[in-house]
Amino acid sequence: MLHELTICPNVDKQGREASSAAYMSNDNEKDLDIIATYSDVSGTIRTCRVKTKDLSASWVLENPINVDKVQVLKLKDTYQTSTPFQENVEQSTDDQQFQEGEILSHRQTYWSPVKFKRQILRQKRRDLRTAELVRQDKEVDKEMQATEAIESLKNMDTVVKGKYSIWRKDFENPNADSTLKLMRDQIIMAEVYANIALSKKQTVLYNSLLKQIMESLNVIGEANSDADLHPSSLDRAKEMGHALSVAKDELYYCCTVERKLRAMLLTTEDNLESQKKRSAFLIQLAAKTVPKPLHCLSLQLSADYYFHGYYQTKQEPYNEKLEDPSLYHYAIFSDNVLATSVVVNSTVLHANEPEKNVFHIVTDKLNFAAMKMWFLVNSPENATIQVDNIDDFKWMNSSYCSVLRQLESVRIKDYYFKANHPSTLSDGVDHLKYRNPKYLSILNHLRFYLPEVHPKLDKILFLDDDIVVQKDLTPLWDVDLKGMVNGAVETCKESFHRFDKYLNFSNPIIIENFDPNACGWAFGMNIFDLKEWRKRNITAIYHHWQDLNDDRTLWKLGTLPPGLITFYNLTHPLDRKWHVLGLGYDPALNRTEIENAAVIHYNGNYKPWLDLAVSKYQSYWSKYVSSDNYYLQRCNISE
């Protein structure tokens, strides 16, 4: 269908061309001043103003044909096939206005607003796509750089030992200790050339290098950074550099130097391994040695106990609280007076009802007088304290106790007391800890005989002497153990502290009876149901496995492995907040967890009463040691 559009005569030619050009060059649509003449359904001729938005998206605006005073524009549907009637109308109109050749010469390429907009949109899409590709390319470059950095770090030995650790603050400045490092490297190379010179019998050069080494060592002294070096150190480094240059000219041969450096490296590694073993031995020695102040404390207390005649009191008056099952009973087995006092003091201080707390302390014959005297003069208010001597337990003998029978064997005596035994210092670090005398103490194994020690009690809370109580523990007596015997905090995190860490799963007896992935738990704060213990005859289970381990092939020495075995599938896990471990070996524990815990445990070698203690954890323990105590002042024991 053909429509004639008459452009208003009042718009001049320049205005129309400018308007048309502006429209074609601008993406924003601008209205054309067009008046359309058409016939409606009834045949009446009507006119209306047409704007660009009213035109069909499929129409094409052809170039105008010049006529007098007006321009006639033709709009035709480019997407529909012309009908014969339309073709006739177009042909007749063309014949009347122009010749066929004139029409071809005057017609120009047609222009469509829709196509123009599509071109603009395509261009925008291209620009966006280009920007996206550029961005992706930059991200790929960054990822490649990050990957290269990670690979570089993997190849880097970040565990740089000694004075050149990359994690120390001085390393933030690459040149912080450049002179010191240079001088030490020079000494190493001087030693290499000195050995080569000696092998080649160049005595003069050998003596010269030795002299240079000694002078450099004297200048370095005990310096740990450039700031500690003598002002003449740089001149000394220059002199050494000159001597090395002379030695290199005469002695340098790549293969020889390489072999010498490799030999020095192997020697250094052997020395390092030897020092590690020596360090482990000394740590074990320091851990098991009673410090002089504690030894003094025990002697002073024992002397006063006998001096004041307390030993003459054969039997103390009966106290009904000691066997009252409605009270809160604690078992502490220790030969350390000061450590035991901290456990008692911290427990009573945080108890909501201290008068209901009953402490059953068992110690050995050597420390009985000291322990007894301490609590005679330093007993906390309201709480009840009983101190027993393990030698008074007549049932505790080798015919009943498997571990006592084993400790009396020749094999165990050789293991502990013969210097030429295979498991000595040369046997490795792992075996050293098992040579600690605490494994010989029956106090360490008394925890497996709680029903015999306390025959009238139904429940008891076992506490190690290296713990500190920070909250009221009485709610533990209300914990439902769900038919289990032992309530304890589990210690397994991911693959750590599971059964395979403590038991020998290469032994078929262990493989058949236990799961290597079973979760371990902690001795040190355990709530025991003694009624259930007696019902299940737990002590007999302990004896059974202890007898099977007579040759120590199921586990090494200690009480945790037999405890894991004895209470296997009989332990109820407690909330971790009840018991936080590791203060005796791990300096990186979370402070918040420590402070929120009901009990903190200094398990490990770094006990809080030793000089080995981790200093930042020591205050949790020392605040329960009274600095104005008479005996502590006499032995110079303070916070």
Side-chain angles (χ1 to χ4, degrees):
M1 181 177 182
L2 183 65
H3 301 274
E4 280 191 354
L5 304 181
T6 304
I7 299 178
C8 299
N10 58 349
V11 181
D12 61 356
K13 181 179 180 182
Q14 291 180 351
R16 288 193 301 270
E17 291 177 352
S19 177
S20 176
Y23 178 81
M24 289 168 31
S25 63
N26 193 351
D27 186 40
N28 298 325
E29 294 185 4
K30 293 185 178 180
D31 292 338
L32 295 175
D33 195 4
I34 300 173
I35 296 176
T37 303
Y38 66 98
S39 58
D40 60 10
V41 179
S42 62
T44 305
I45 300 299
R46 297 183 180 275
T47 61
C48 70
R49 186 178 297 278
V50 178
K51 297 183 179 181
T52 304
K53 66 180 182 179
D54 299 324
L55 299 179
S56 171
S58 61
W59 290 359
V60 176
L61 180 64
E62 293 181 348
N63 288 328
I65 302 173
N66 293 329
V67 295
D68 294 339
K69 297 183 181 180
V70 297
Q71 292 179 341
V72 178
L73 303 179
K74 297 179 180 179
L75 295 175
K76 67 178 182 180
D77 195 333
T78 58
Y79 295 96
Q80 295 181 1
T81 305
S82 301
T83 61
F85 172 77
Q86 291 171 334
E87 291 175 356
N88 291 336
V89 172
E90 290 176 356
Q91 183 64 39
S92 62
T93 305
D94 291 341
D95 289 342
Q96 293 175 4
Q97 299 289 336
F98 306 99
Q99 297 295 326
E100 185 175 354
E102 293 176 340
I103 293 173
L104 293 174
S105 64
H106 285 86
R107 285 187 178 178
Q108 301 175 5
T109 306
Y110 63 83
W111 168 80
S112 169
V114 176
K115 287 187 176 181
F116 180 75
K117 287 193 68 174
R118 288 175 178 169
Q119 290 177 358
I120 296 299
L121 292 174
R122 281 196 294 270
Q123 186 60 36
K124 285 184 177 180
R125 286 196 295 270
R126 291 192 190 99
D127 294 341
L128 290 174
R129 180 59 177 164
T130 301
E132 177 65 15
L133 291 174
V134 171
R135 185 187 64 79
Q136 291 179 0
D137 188 60
K138 290 182 179 179
E139 290 181 355
V140 170
D141 288 342
K142 290 181 180 179
E143 291 178 359
M144 292 177 64
Q145 292 175 2
T147 303
E148 291 175 358
I150 291 172
E151 292 300 324
S152 176
L153 286 173
K154 287 181 179 179
N155 297 327
M156 181 188 299
D157 184 11
T158 57
V159 188
V160 182
K161 300 176 177 62
K163 301 181 184 301
Y164 305 115
S165 171
I166 64 173
W167 302 117
R168 54 183 259 190
K169 292 183 178 180
D170 293 342
F171 201 83
E172 294 173 2
N173 180 359
N175 299 318
D177 297 328
S178 57
T179 304
L180 179 62
K181 184 177 185 304
L182 173 65
M183 294 183 70
R184 294 190 172 183
D185 290 343
Q186 286 179 335
I187 291 173
I188 293 173
M189 290 307 302
E191 290 175 350
V192 172
Y193 287 131
N195 281 292
I196 296 175
L198 183 63
S199 65
K200 293 182 177 294
K201 298 182 179 180
Q202 296 188 24
T203 309
V204 175
L205 185 55
Y206 171 74
N207 292 331
S208 174
L209 289 171
L210 284 184
K211 181 181 178 182
Q212 293 288 338
I213 291 172
M214 293 302 299
E215 291 179 356
S216 293
L217 288 173
N218 290 333
V219 170
I220 292 175
E222 297 181 357
N224 293 318
S225 65
D226 284 359
D228 301 332
L229 290 174
H230 191 272
S232 63
S233 58
L234 192 58
D235 294 334
R236 174 92 285 281
K238 291 179 181 179
E239 292 181 18
M240 174 66 92
H242 177 71
L244 289 175
S245 178
V246 173
K248 180 180 178 182
D249 292 340
E250 295 191 24
L251 301 173
Y252 183 78
Y253 182 63
C254 183
C255 293
T256 305
V257 173
E258 179 190 6
R259 284 196 297 270
K260 193 60 193 175
L261 286 171
R262 189 178 296 278
M264 290 176 64
L265 177 62
L266 293 175
T267 302
T268 303
E269 289 178 346
D270 290 341
N271 290 336
L272 177 62
E273 189 64 26
S274 175
Q275 291 299 323
K276 284 183 177 180
K277 291 181 180 180
R278 186 175 299 276
S279 174
F281 174 77
L282 292 176
I283 289 174
Q284 291 292 334
L285 181 63
K288 67 186 181 182
T289 302
V290 178
K292 183 177 179 181
L294 293 185
H295 185 62
C296 167
L297 177 64
S298 182
L299 290 177
Q300 291 286 349
L301 289 167
S302 298
D304 285 356
Y305 179 78
Y306 288 103
F307 178 78
H308 293 292
Y310 291 112
Y311 69 96
Q312 295 177 353
T313 304
K314 297 297 183 181
Q315 189 173 3
E316 294 183 3
Y318 172 75
N319 190 337
E320 60 182 9
K321 285 187 175 181
L322 298 177
E323 297 179 351
D324 186 350
S326 65
L327 301 180
Y328 306 118
H329 295 265
Y330 302 85
I332 305 173
F333 307 144
S334 173
D335 58 1
N336 189 323
V337 175
L338 190 60
T340 304
S341 72
V342 169
V343 176
V344 173
N345 291 340
S346 61
T347 305
V348 173
L349 183 63
H350 294 96
N352 293 335
E353 299 176 295
E355 67 280 359
K356 292 186 176 181
N357 288 351
V358 182
F359 295 89
H360 303 270
I361 301 171
V362 181
T363 188
D364 55 17
K365 185 177 182 179
L366 182 64
N367 294 281
F368 174 74
M371 191 77 74
K372 192 79 172 176
M373 185 64 190
W374 176 269
F375 287 105
L376 282 173
V377 297
N378 295 293
S379 180
E381 291 186 26
N382 300 323
T384 303
I385 298 178
Q386 177 190 29
V387 179
D388 285 324
N389 184 353
I390 193 172
D391 288 351
D392 293 336
F393 299 153
K394 301 305 179 183
W395 49 266
M396 200 78 175
N397 52 64
S398 57
S399 61
Y400 176 63
C401 303
S402 301
V403 69
L404 271 178
R405 186 166 56 254
Q406 292 171 2
L407 290 175
E408 293 174 357
S409 68
V410 176
R411 285 197 307 272
I412 294 295
K413 292 179 180 178
D414 290 346
Y415 179 82
Y416 277 101
F417 301 112
K418 282 195 174 181
N420 60 350
H421 192 272
S423 194
T424 56
L425 179 61
S426 60
D427 193 39
V429 175
D430 293 339
H431 294 278
L432 285 174
K433 64 181 180 180
Y434 298 113
R435 299 174 65 82
N436 195 316
K438 73 177 183 179
Y439 295 113
L440 292 172
S441 174
I442 192 60
L443 282 175
N444 212 36
H445 296 266
L446 190 59
R447 64 193 70 189
F448 294 104
Y449 300 95
L450 283 170
E452 286 86 347
V453 178
H454 307 289
K456 300 292 183 65
L457 300 181
D458 295 333
K459 273 191 177 182
I460 197 165
L461 183 64
F462 171 78
L463 297 176
D464 264 340
D465 63 358
D466 55 352
I467 65 104
V468 172
V469 178
Q470 301 185 132
K471 293 183 180 180
D472 179 36
L473 299 183
T474 53
L476 285 170
W477 274 265
D478 296 326
V479 173
D480 183 7
L481 297 181
K482 303 184 184 302
M484 301 298 178
V485 179
N486 174 28
V489 170
E490 293 182 334
T491 57
C492 57
K493 294 180 180 179
E494 298 178 356
S495 60
F496 302 106
H497 299 292
R498 297 185 182 273
F499 270 46
D500 59 353
K501 177 180 175 64
Y502 303 100
L503 305 179
N504 179 19
F505 276 88
S506 63
N507 191 299
I509 299 177
I510 297 295
I511 296 175
E512 292 172 3
N513 290 278
F514 304 101
D515 178 9
N517 294 317
C519 191
W521 44 267
F523 258 140
M525 191 215 70
N526 307 79
I527 183 72
F528 289 109
D529 186 340
L530 298 183
K531 292 176 65 177
E532 195 68 26
W533 184 312
R534 299 182 186 98
K535 179 181 176 181
R536 294 177 181 267
N537 201 2
I538 298 299
T539 304
I541 298 175
Y542 164 70
H543 284 159
H544 169 74
W545 285 103
Q546 194 71 47
D547 290 337
L548 289 177
N549 194 44
D550 183 62
D551 55 357
R552 300 190 312 282
T553 57
L554 303 185
W555 69 85
K556 298 295 183 181
L557 297 177
T559 55
L560 182 56
L564 297 176
I565 287 179
T566 302
F567 297 101
Y568 183 61
N569 291 330
L570 295 173
T571 299
H572 175 73
L574 300 177
D575 190 290
R576 291 184 182 275
K577 291 183 179 180
W578 280 111
H579 190 186
V580 170
L581 300 99
L583 280 77
Y585 68 88
D586 187 357
L589 293 177
N590 186 294
R591 278 293 185 98
T592 303
E593 290 185 4
I594 293 175
E595 292 168 1
N596 291 336
V599 168
I600 55 175
H601 195 168
Y602 291 84
N603 57 313
N605 286 325
Y606 306 143
K607 303 299 184 185
W609 54 84
L610 300 176
D611 292 336
L612 295 173
V614 181
S615 57
K616 63 180 180 180
Y617 300 151
Q618 209 162 10
S619 61
Y620 296 113
W621 184 86
S622 61
K623 64 183 178 182
Y624 298 103
V625 178
S626 177
S627 59
D628 59 353
N629 184 281
Y630 168 73
Y631 289 102
L632 299 184
Q633 288 179 347
R634 287 179 65 181
C635 295
N636 295 321
I637 299 175
S638 62
E639 299 182 18

